[in-house]
Structures are given as C-alpha cells and as structure tokens.
Amino acid sequence: MARPVLIPALALALLVGAALPSAPAAAQSAVAEGQALAFDRGKGNCLTCHEIKGGDLPGTIGPALKDIKRKYPNRDDLVAILHDEPKRNPQTVMPPFGRNLILTDKEINAIVDFLQTL
C-alpha cells in the first residue's frame, strides 16, 4: 500500500527539484553573461584594450586579464575598477563604465564573475 503514496510524492519532489535553479547553474549563467559582455565590441568591449583567453583580436593597451582572482582577491576592488577606474587612477584610458552608465551594476557584476574565472 505504501508504494502508491511514495511514487506521487517522489515524482513531485523530482519536479520541484528540477524546477529550481541550482547555485552552480546560476553562477555559470552569470559567468557566461559576463564573458559575452566582456567580448561584446559594442558593450563591455574589454578586448579593445586587453588580452583575454578565448577572445579574438585583443588590444595591447591594458594588461592581459589573467590570474584576476589572485591579483584582486577582494571582489569589491574589481567592481570599483570597472565602475570608475579614473577615480582610482586618473592617468588611465579605461572608461568609467558604471559612472558613465555604459554598463549597469548587474552587467558589471556579471563581468566581474567572469573575470574571476581567469
């Protein structure tokens, strides 16, 4: 008798579990979104100045973007750089992506998620 009750309960649990996004899947989605933005010549445009693994036709004005998590262990530092690098370094040619509303805070965070995987 217990079997008929368990099967619907198990089926419901599987359906609910399948409908909920897992944290790793959500994180992978943010990383993919960040990479797309970083490589987008009309939006993030990071490849204009930086070499990034997997990117085509990189620029050489800025440093190669690698070992980012080691270089910037504090995520907030990297967010600040993308938001308004001229505030930190007045001599930079990097645009203030956040201050000038080139990128939204959500887009900046997605790019940071991607950069931290390099």
Side-chain angles (χ1 to χ4, degrees):
M1 279 312 269
R3 189 172 187 166
V5 173
L6 288 177
I7 291 174
L10 178 60
L12 179 61
L14 290 172
L15 285 173
V16 169
L20 297 174
S22 66
Q28 287 176 349
S29 175
V31 169
E33 178 186 351
Q35 181 178 17
L37 285 164
F39 289 1
D40 184 339
R41 297 283 181 178
K43 193 66 173 171
N45 210 11
C46 302
L47 285 169
T48 295
C49 299
H50 301 278
E51 179 184 337
I52 305 172
K53 182 180 177 183
D56 293 328
L57 302 172
T60 58
I61 295 169
L65 299 180
K66 59 184 178 181
D67 300 323
I68 297 297
K69 200 159 189 168
R70 183 184 58 78
K71 291 176 185 174
Y72 299 100
N74 183 345
R75 187 179 198 288
D76 292 339
D77 291 341
L78 199 50
V79 169
I81 288 169
L82 287 169
H83 188 269
D84 192 356
E85 176 60 359
K87 181 178 181 181
R88 186 181 79 113
N89 175 8
Q91 301 301 313
T92 189
V93 295
M94 185 167 165
F97 288 99
R99 180 173 49 112
N100 285 356
L101 305 177
I102 298 166
L103 296 169
T104 66
D105 288 342
K106 182 180 183 250
E107 291 170 329
I108 288 172
N109 278 292
I111 292 172
V112 168
D113 289 340
F114 164 63
L115 292 176
Q116 288 189 315
T117 68
L118 301 176

